[in-house]
Amino acid sequence: MPLNPQRTIDELKELRSLTSDENGAQRVAWTDTWLKAREWFASKLKGLPVEHHYDAAGNNWVTLPGASEKCLLIGGHLDSVPNGGWLDGSLNVIAALEVLRRFNDEFHGKPPVTIRVVDWADEEGARFGRSLLGSSAFAGTHSIAADRIRPDRDGIKLEDALRRGGVEIDRFPEAAKERKNAAAYLELHIEQGPVLERLNLSLAAVLGTKGVERHLITFHGQEAHSGSTPMQDRRDALAAAAKLALEIRHIARKHPDAVCTMGSVKTFPGIVTAVVGRCEATLDQRDLDPQILAQMFREAQEASHRFAEEEKCTVEWSRIWNIEPIAFHPALLDLCEQAIREVSATSHRMPSGPLHDAAEVSRAGIPTVMLFVQSLRGISHNKIEDTREDHLALCVQALDRLASKTVTWILQK
C-alpha cells in the first residue's frame, strides 16, 4: 500500500479522543493517561514485522530490520503538557509510523536500511520540570543525581514515578546502547509559533535549536514605608528590574531571530505599603548564533548594573540553566528543503526557539534535521492548538520523501 497521510490524521484524532478531555490533551509523562497512549500506539503495530521494546530510560522503540544494519531513526514524543494540544509531539510519532509502514510495503518487509521509530520518554518535562529526559539518557547527557529527587506538585519524586513505570533511573546510561548503527535522525514537529502562517507557507526546514541562557537576577534595594519615603530617597529594587524588563526587548530586537523574556518577577516584602527591598527576576535569552547569545547576555548584565546604580541598588546574577545552540546537519538540511519543495513548491529555513529531542540526538553526534509544519494562530501547549488538515497531509508526504532521500544518503556515505 502507498503512503496514506489520511491514516495519520485519523489516528491522531483517535488518540485525541482517547487521551484528552474538554481542557485538552492530558498525556503527561509517567501518568496513567500517558501509559494508555503508549498501549494504544503498540496496538497499531500489529501485523507489522517489527521488533518493539522500551529501553532503560523508557524510550519506546519500533524497529523494522533492513538489508543494512545502518539505521534511520525517525522520532517524536507521545507525552504532552497538561491541557495541551493534539499535535505537539504525537504528530511526529504517528507520521513516523506511517513512513515505516510505507517502507515495509514498498520493500516487502526488508527496506535498504533499518528503519527505527522512537517515542521519546518525557520530552515535555511537564510533571517534574526536566525536559528531554529520555533523549538525554540516549545521548549520554543525563543528569541523574539532580533529576532523581525532582518532586512533582504532590511531592512524588521523579525516581519513584519512573519506578512505577518500570524504569530505574540508575540504569539511564544503558539507553546509549540504542545509538548503535544510528546513521541519521529525522523529526517532524508543528512550528508552535506564527512565522509560517504569517509567511503563508506550510512547511520549513529547521536550521537548528536555539541556545538558551537562563538566569535569576536579584536586585537589592531598601524596604521603606510607601507613604513616608520621598521618591528621591527610595532604593526601589522593582524600579531597577522594571527598567531591565523593558531594555531586554531592545537587546533582542537588534537580531532577527533572537528572543529575550523576563518571565517571572517576585517582590519582597510584597505588600502595598512598602517600597520593594528585594526583587527576583528570571531572564531567558535564546538565539541560534552563540556569539549573538553571548552578546545579549553581556548587554543584559551591563544594563542591569546601570539600572541598579540609577536606583541606588545592587544586583546579583545566578545561572539557572543553559544549553548551547545546536545546528542541524547541512546535508540533511538540503535534503529536507528538497523534500519540502517537491510537495509544496516553496520552502523556507528557520531556527527553532523551543527545544526538541532532536537537539539531544544531534549532541550525540548523529546527523539530524527537523521539519516544521505551520501552526494556526501560532498557538501550542493549548487545547486550541491546530494545523490545517491539508498541511498535515503535506508534512507526512514531506517527511516520507525526506526519509527516502536520507536512506539514499546513508547508503552513499
Side-chain angles (χ1 to χ4, degrees):
M1 294 177 62
L3 186 79
N4 185 356
Q6 186 59 48
R7 177 164 52 186
T8 299
I9 296 169
D10 292 343
E11 289 178 340
L12 284 164
K13 291 178 179 179
E14 185 181 335
L15 179 64
R16 177 174 60 184
S17 297
L18 182 69
T19 60
S20 301
D21 60 23
E22 67 277 7
N23 297 312
Q26 305 299 337
R27 299 184 303 274
V28 177
W30 316 110
T31 65
D32 291 341
T33 303
W34 177 66
L35 295 174
K36 182 190 297 185
R38 288 189 143 191
E39 290 173 3
W40 171 88
F41 178 70
S43 74
K44 299 300 176 182
L45 306 178
K46 293 177 181 177
L48 290 170
V50 296
E51 185 274 333
H52 177 215
H53 74 274
Y54 298 93
D55 69 19
N59 298 313
N60 187 6
W61 292 92
V62 178
T63 302
L64 176 64
S68 169
E69 291 185 350
K70 292 181 179 179
C71 297
L72 170 62
L73 313 184
I74 314 175
H77 59 97
L78 289 178
D79 70 295
S80 74
V81 297
N83 304 329
W86 71 299
L87 298 171
D88 180 7
S90 57
L91 168 63
N92 329 358
V93 180
I94 310 309
L97 176 60
E98 185 59 30
V99 172
L100 181 145
R101 288 168 173 151
R102 197 272 301 168
F103 273 106
N104 176 64
D105 292 339
E106 180 176 347
F107 295 99
H108 307 288
K110 200 71 171 180
V113 305
T114 298
I115 308 296
R116 305 191 73 196
V117 172
V118 56
D119 158 33
W120 301 107
D122 204 353
E123 189 269 358
E124 296 288 5
R127 183 176 172 190
F128 294 96
R130 205 311 187 178
S131 301
L132 313 181
L133 185 71
S135 57
S136 70
F138 167 88
T141 57
H142 46 73
S143 46
I144 294 172
D147 293 337
R148 70 164 74 247
I149 58 174
R150 291 179 181 271
D152 67 6
R153 63 183 182 183
D154 297 319
I156 298 171
K157 293 181 180 178
L158 175 60
E159 180 177 29
D160 296 328
L162 265 60
R163 184 171 291 123
R164 181 174 178 271
V167 175
E168 293 292 337
I169 195 169
D170 288 317
R171 294 185 59 194
F172 267 27
E174 297 176 28
K177 296 175 182 177
E178 305 295 339
R179 299 205 300 260
K180 183 179 180 181
N181 296 323
Y185 175 72
L186 312 177
E187 185 170 313
L188 166 66
H189 209 284
I190 56 171
E191 181 201 342
Q192 301 181 277
V195 174
L196 290 177
E197 186 177 43
R198 186 168 61 239
L199 296 174
N200 196 28
L201 296 173
S202 55
L203 303 168
V206 182
L207 293 162
T209 57
K210 294 179 180 180
V212 181
E213 284 284 351
R214 196 170 294 164
H215 295 262
L216 174 67
I217 308 166
T218 304
F219 290 92
H220 295 277
Q222 177 65 62
E223 295 176 15
H225 196 289
S226 61
S228 60
T229 309
M231 298 303 293
Q232 68 270 20
D233 294 326
R234 297 185 178 206
R235 297 172 56 200
D236 190 336
L238 177 57
K243 289 182 177 181
L244 182 62
L246 295 176
E247 182 65 18
I248 62 169
R249 296 158 61 90
H250 300 298
I251 291 171
R253 285 171 176 164
K254 297 176 185 178
H255 314 286
D257 294 315
V259 291
C260 294
T261 307
M262 189 176 285
S264 171
V265 176
K266 297 178 182 179
T267 63
F268 302 87
I271 57 175
V272 71
T273 55
V275 175
V276 174
R278 184 170 94 251
C279 182
E280 296 178 354
T282 57
L283 176 64
D284 182 294
Q285 298 179 296
R286 305 186 188 212
D287 197 82
L288 189 60
D289 186 326
Q291 293 184 340
I292 290 176
L293 190 61
Q295 178 184 339
M296 293 197 304
F297 174 46
R298 183 173 62 253
E299 290 181 1
Q301 279 192 311
E302 291 171 353
S304 72
H305 287 286
R306 183 171 71 252
F307 297 141
E309 184 176 355
E310 289 176 2
E311 298 299 330
K312 295 172 283 191
C313 297
T314 60
V315 64
E316 298 174 350
W317 283 66
S318 174
R319 175 174 274 124
I320 298 172
W321 179 75
N322 73 309
I323 187 171
E324 71 277 11
I326 303 293
F328 291 146
H329 197 280
L332 295 186
L333 264 171
D334 290 341
L335 296 181
C336 187
E337 192 160 36
Q338 290 173 27
I340 291 171
R341 289 184 180 278
E342 288 176 8
V343 302
S344 67
T346 305
S347 185
H348 179 66
R349 294 188 177 195
M350 63 182 293
S352 173
L355 292 170
H356 297 282
D357 293 305
E360 290 290 354
V361 179
S362 183
R363 291 176 77 185
I366 298 169
T368 296
V369 75
M370 288 188 69
L371 167 70
F372 272 171
V373 64
Q374 185 192 117
S375 292
L376 292 175
R377 300 175 297 276
I379 299 295
S380 184
H381 284 194
N382 187 305
K383 67 179 182 180
I384 68 169
E385 168 189 286
D386 206 3
T387 293
R388 285 169 39 181
E389 288 196 12
D390 59 328
H391 287 175
L392 291 175
L394 281 178
C395 76
V396 177
Q397 295 172 38
L399 178 65
D400 184 61
R401 296 200 181 201
L402 173 58
S404 291
K405 294 175 186 296
T406 305
V407 166
T408 300
W409 179 78
I410 289 171
L411 293 173
Q412 292 174 346
K413 286 177 66 179

